Amino acid sequence: VTSSNGCMHWLWAVLLGPRHSLTLRYHAFHDQLVQREKFLKTVDPSNPGPRYLVVPALVGHWLQLRTNLWLPAQAKIPAPLTPVDFTKLLDQRTLQACWEPSWFPLHPSLQSIV
C-alpha cells in the first residue's frame, strides 16, 4: 500500500511543488499510512479478490475520488482551496466506519480469476 501512495506524493510534489497544500496532505497521509501499515493488514475488504491487491486498490481509489473532487473546485476559484484531509481514511478505519468506496463492476473476463 505504501509504495503506490508514496509515488502519489512525489507525483504531486513534481506537478504542484513540495510546499503545495495538496502535496503536504499526501505527505501527511503517507507518513501516517507507514505508521499504521500493520493495522491496515487487518482490513477485510467486502470487495472480491485477493486482499493484498484489493486493499491498495481501494485506498488508491478513495484518494483518487477525493482528489478528483478537489481539482475542479480549485480550478474554479483563484484563491487556494484547502484539500481533503486524506488521513481521515485512517480515522474511519480506526472507528470501524465504512470507508470502502463503491467499486466499479468487475469486467466479465476477470470474474473467473476472483
Side-chain angles (χ1 to χ4, degrees), residues 91-100:
D91 294 339
Q92 285 178 318
R93 176 67 185 127
T94 301
L95 296 171
Q96 297 180 346
C98 182
W99 66 273
E100 291 184 40

Side-chain angles (χ1 to χ4, degrees), residues 73-92:
Q74 176 61 73
K76 291 178 185 175
I77 61 171
L81 183 64
T82 303
V84 175
D85 182 3
F86 299 117
T87 61
K88 289 184 181 200
L89 168 66
L90 302 172
D91 294 339
Q92 285 178 318

Side-chain angles (χ1 to χ4, degrees), residues 6-26:
C7 292
M8 289 300 298
H9 164 69
W10 290 112
L11 170 70
W12 290 114
V14 169
L15 294 175
L16 300 174
R19 299 284 177 222
H20 192 277
S21 58
L22 184 65
T23 305
L24 295 174
R25 292 285 179 135
Y26 266 109

Side-chain angles (χ1 to χ4, degrees), residues 9-98:
H9 164 69
W10 290 112
L11 170 70
W12 290 114
V14 169
L15 294 175
L16 300 174
R19 299 284 177 222
H20 192 277
S21 58
L22 184 65
T23 305
L24 295 174
R25 292 285 179 135
Y26 266 109
H27 183 68
F29 173 75
H30 183 260
D31 286 349
Q32 283 200 18
L33 186 66
V34 169
Q35 292 173 7
R36 297 186 190 185
E37 188 170 13
K38 287 183 183 178
F39 176 71
L40 282 176
K41 290 182 181 181
T42 64
V43 172
D44 188 22
S46 60
N47 288 283
R51 191 185 62 73
Y52 67 93
L53 294 176
V54 172
V55 172
L58 287 170
V59 170
H61 189 53
W62 191 93
L63 294 168
Q64 174 197 8
L65 290 171
R66 275 125 190 103
T67 304
N68 287 349
L69 287 175
W70 179 83
L71 284 170
Q74 176 61 73
K76 291 178 185 175
I77 61 171
L81 183 64
T82 303
V84 175
D85 182 3
F86 299 117
T87 61
K88 289 184 181 200
L89 168 66
L90 302 172
D91 294 339
Q92 285 178 318
R93 176 67 185 127
T94 301
L95 296 171
Q96 297 180 346
C98 182

